[in-house]
Amino acid sequence: MTSSLRLIQASRLSEGAGVTVHRTIGTPALRTLDPFLMLDHFNSNRADDYIAGFPDHPHRGFVTFTYLLEGHMLHRDSMGHEGDLVTGGAQWMKAARGVIHSEMPQQTEGRMSGFQLWINLPAREKLSDPEYREILPEQIPRLREGNAEIRLLAGSWAGHEGALTDPLTHLLYADITLPPQGALTLPEGLLAGRSAFLYGIEGTFRASGTEVPPETLAVVATPHSPFPGDLRLSTESAPSRLILVTGRPIGEPVAAYGPFVMNTREEIERAIDDYRNNRFV
Ligand code: CO
């Protein structure tokens, strides 16, 4: 059976000290996709679009997951971590009760492209200890399913474990390349009880009858509308690269203010107060 997927066009915004990002989750068209709070795609070969980077800024109440498709960034945080993020690498940061960090480009020319995803935490974890994990490109398992190649950054796929297992967010994050005339059917159960989306990086692909162009998000499943049956991805005469991301909905109220995402207004006021009074570190 086929059912058409909802497509979300990205909104172009300036973030950090002036980095151009293309946002899909976290816009009026798609406020949240529980547990996902925000998805930014950055992709430019113009230094002006990325050179200013993301100087010191705080986060509280959720996880950030950054995947660098191309480029070189340096992460520094208030836990004392310093992480080199290079082409094909990723970074998982559980901000929880509070992290201040910077993410700065280590290049002055060439392409910088990648994604930053914000994943919510359940209330009981929002004020837990922060954690940081760097995922090197060579630590990401590569699977072959038919003629598709899958880089499994997080979660499990048909018995294979990704580079990261996160029992808090139940994140599945896969970078999928389909050749011309490519086809991939997601394993049964992969979408059960999950929110899910696809995002096109290069080339157009089809997802259960819906054509998804590059730089577009396709909503596959939400907490209120699970995906019916098997999801089939395919290409025609051109190859395509995309990401598939799924997570288990949390189903709790969301109170958000900039980089703070809690459950109530009072907790947001507390976050602002804690940050202003240097209680994040
Ligand atoms: Co940040």
Side-chain angles (χ1 to χ4, degrees):
M1 79 175 276
T2 58
S3 65
S4 65
L5 303 181
R6 184 174 161 215
L7 299 182
I8 307 290
Q9 305 301 326
S11 302
R12 191 184 154 102
L13 303 164
S14 182
E15 270 295 324
V19 178
T20 301
V21 299
H22 301 266
R23 184 166 298 168
T24 42
I25 303 173
T27 64
L30 187 63
R31 284 280 173 216
T32 64
L33 183 59
D34 185 12
F36 306 114
L37 301 163
M38 193 195 84
L39 180 71
D40 280 351
H41 178 214
F42 45 94
N43 179 23
S44 179
N45 53 17
R46 290 172 11 119
D48 281 356
D49 283 332
Y50 60 75
I51 201 75
F54 301 88
D56 273 350
H57 61 278
H59 293 284
R60 174 180 278 184
F62 57 96
V63 166
T64 66
F65 190 91
T66 308
Y67 180 30
L68 200 60
L69 298 170
E70 191 174 345
H72 185 189
M73 300 246 276
L74 182 70
H75 160 100
R76 278 203 184 98
D77 67 41
S78 50
M79 294 174 272
H81 296 118
E82 191 170 293
D84 233 356
L85 193 54
V86 296
T87 294
Q91 180 205 81
W92 175 90
M93 188 179 79
K94 179 186 164 198
R97 73 174 139 74
V99 169
I100 297 168
H101 75 153
S102 63
E103 300 151 290
M104 299 303 288
Q106 303 297 299
Q107 64 190 67
T108 53
E109 56 179 21
R111 181 167 296 275
M112 169 82 79
S113 73
F115 294 99
Q116 186 167 92
L117 177 69
W118 288 10
I119 312 158
N120 207 359
L121 283 170
R124 65 173 190 283
E125 285 291 337
K126 282 185 177 291
L127 295 177
S128 61
D129 290 341
E131 288 175 46
Y132 171 79
R133 261 198 63 188
E134 197 172 68
I135 299 167
L136 303 175
E138 59 270 24
Q139 293 172 329
I140 301 171
R142 286 175 179 233
L143 323 177
R144 277 214 153 266
E145 297 284 340
N147 58 11
E149 184 182 301
I150 302 160
R151 292 185 186 90
L152 193 57
L153 286 90
S156 59
W157 183 300
H160 301 278
E161 291 301 317
L164 178 88
T165 303
D166 183 356
L168 297 178
T169 63
H170 304 277
L171 176 70
L172 179 132
Y173 198 121
D175 173 345
I176 298 170
T177 301
L178 294 167
Q181 315 301 334
L184 176 67
T185 300
L186 269 62
E188 208 180 328
L190 197 82
L191 297 175
R194 287 170 166 268
S195 294
F197 66 86
L198 300 158
Y199 191 101
I201 299 170
E202 283 167 25
T204 294
F205 65 96
R206 293 184 80 81
S208 268
T210 303
E211 199 162 280
V212 186
E215 308 206 322
T216 303
L217 182 143
V219 178
V220 175
T222 74
H224 308 294
S225 61
F227 188 77
D230 287 345
L231 179 66
R232 187 182 146 83
L233 308 178
S234 62
T235 48
E236 291 173 0
S237 57
S240 184
R241 185 177 179 192
L242 59 122
I243 56 168
L244 164 72
V245 180
T246 81
R248 202 176 290 173
I250 294 170
E252 293 174 357
V254 172
Y257 179 77
F260 309 131
V261 182
M262 304 300 289
N263 299 107
T264 67
R265 207 16 67 190
E266 293 69 36
E267 289 166 346
I268 289 295
E269 280 159 20
R270 175 73 196 274
I272 295 167
D273 192 61
D274 283 353
Y275 177 57
R276 284 197 184 132
N277 291 290
N278 297 316
R279 286 192 292 259
F280 267 39
V281 287

